[in-house]
Amino acid sequence: RDVAKRARMSSAASSATRAGSLNGRPGRSCIPIGPHVVLKMIKHYQEEGQGTEVVQGVLLGLVVEDRLEITNCFPFPQHTEDDADFDEVQYQMEMMRSLRHVNIDHLHVGWYQSTYYGSFVSRALLDSQFSYQHAIEESVVLIYDPIKTAQGSLSLKAYRLTPKLMEICKEKDFSAEGLKKAMIGFEHMFEEVPIVIKNSHLINVLMWELEEKSTVADKHELLNLSSSNHLEKSLQLLMDRVDDMSQDIVKYNTYSRNLSKQQQQKHQYTQRRQQENAQRQTRGEPPLPEEDISKMFKPPQPPPRMDTLLIAGQINNYCQNVKEFTSQNLGKLFLAEALQGHNS
Amino acid sequence: MAVHGPVVKIHPVVLASIADSYERRNEGASRVIGTLLGTVDKHSVEVTNCFSVPHNESEDEVAVDMEFAKNMYELHKKVSPTEVIIGWYATGFDITEHSVLIHEYYSREAVNPIHLTVDTALQSNKMNIRAYISAQMGVPGKTVGVMFTPLTVKYIYYDTERIGVGLLQRTRDAPNRAKGLTSDLCQVGGAATRVQDMLTTVLAYIEEVLSGKVQADNSVGRFLTDLVSKVPKISAEDFESMLNSNINDLLMVTYLANLTQAQIALNEKLVIL
């Protein structure tokens, strides 16, 4: 069975590299995912997720040289208040130990999370992903968007923190100077890794069986025209974020204004001092001691830039989603026009 | 075939997990067994999850790691408290004597356990997925035997599951059995192509009926009338104005989104200055 597994891995490697490394980096080509992983994630959200709550779980798999392959996953229970003594780590350990007995890869290669209309760029996500990536360089976070999936097509994206962001998180230096030094923009926070779904031969057979046996018709939600609800929601979230952003900008503006005012004050003070000293010298008196200017004028606290970066990243994400949505809808509208044109 | 007993509804995630655990079985093991979790209804049993249980099978004896099964069930219950053990599965074509023993064990866990067989070895060129329930047979008082009666198996999907399965089915047709996820307009194009294919099939059927090759079927004719009348009859001006207003909305939103993106990029550049 080991031989078969190695053969499968090498075939996966060769086919994925044939598909092309879309990021230009040789080690970062597509991540193959087993089909049952996808189904399990879908099911987990369907059964346990409600409204805006996110469901999370762990991804298991292998790391083959530079590449990652996701072969299994298991869900995390929800955090409830009455479960105070529930030990997450213990649950994870138990699960992994048990899975090892049935020959499931027990390497923790990442985690998955469901998202509500694409709002996942948050401090919590950043921290979790950082700790994962610190342990295993290749780990990813899979974001599953159930609402978009319900609209017709599976929305599953894999993200990884860019090396630049990893550096910053390691230093824990989130100030403006730190970020400026690293030249990080909101576009360089996460890099998306393309994923492919790899069916094994057995799963292929299963798919053929299901097609024969099951009578569920394709509902074609993708061609549904009335999806303005979704647009409204996305735009509302976008507006909220933009409000946050503008508040942040106001804070930053006040800070820089304070800073410049203080600089002026310092300048004036030193000038006055010098003048006085010059006068005293002419009068023959000892000069006043040089006081420590920095102690007198305490510089204002620069506002943390990390939140701004996160908000900017989130806004960017929302905008991307909205644009994708509108382009799809435009296509659908033109389709409807063609259909109507035929009739009349 | 008259079938008594509940209908078994299976989610595709269960079958996919079974296939995967079969691929990972130990050397020398010819089949894999595991527990089925789900919910029981009055007339049906819904299987929504499963996990495999290590076991050893030889000619005369069978050993199942029951501790493991209990542990796993506890862990799973933490995530989905509504799922209960409703039976067990085994890969392989037939029901062996060992199955009876294992079934007895499961009868202690669940009220009336279902036994599911999935023929992963494809003995009859098909993956036979069958479900059984046990029934007592024999003369009461004397040796009682157990008979497995088959049940109807149905597949049910959540909406999102169906979309996932649709994608997997398209993956199956792709070369290298690997497929990336498309996005944007490509998806609409794909969906439109599928509808177009269906329309071609329907048209071909109509042609055949018209030329007399195939008997006209009244029910199909009714469906066809429904289909054609589904396209709403709107006057050209009304439709034009609706279309234009919708397009304008979408264009405006796109413009605003682009503007916002430019704004935050600009803001960032200014700060980093």
Side-chain angles (χ1 to χ4, degrees), chain A residues 1 43 46-47 86 91 98 103 149 153 185-186 197 199-200 209 216 220 316 323-324 327-328, chain B residues 23-27 48 68 78-79 127 158 160 162-163 177 179 184 187 198 258 261 268:
Chain A
R1 189 196 64 85
K43 166 202 175 286
Q46 192 71 37
E47 295 193 344
F86 175 71
Y91 170 84
S98 318
N103 295 330
T149 307
S153 66
F186 60 84
I197 304 204
N199 273 3
S200 66
E209 280 272 330
V216 180
H220 296 293
N316 190 30
K323 286 201 288 192
E324 214 178 274
S327 67
Q328 279 184 335
Chain B
E23 288 178 351
R24 295 167 177 285
R25 67 193 186 288
N26 281 319
E27 284 286 349
T48 48
F68 178 91
K78 291 209 177 100
V79 179
M127 191 188 262
Y158 297 124
T160 38
R162 186 168 31 79
I163 295 174
R177 297 170 290 117
K179 190 162 209 276
D184 242 356
Q187 285 169 341
M198 284 195 240
N258 277 330
Q261 275 184 316
E268 206 162 74

Side-chain angles (χ1 to χ4, degrees), chain B residues 56-94:
Chain B
N56 289 320
E57 210 169 291
S58 62
E59 269 302 320
D60 24 339
E61 69 165 12
V62 62
V64 175
D65 195 349
M66 306 186 181
E67 260 310 308
F68 178 91
K70 232 182 284 270
N71 265 344
M72 275 298 251
Y73 176 52
E74 290 298 311
L75 290 175
H76 275 262
K77 235 184 15 185
K78 291 209 177 100
V79 179
S80 13
T82 51
E83 286 183 348
V84 289
I85 298 186
I86 53 167
W88 63 293
Y89 70 84
T91 61
F93 189 54
D94 266 333

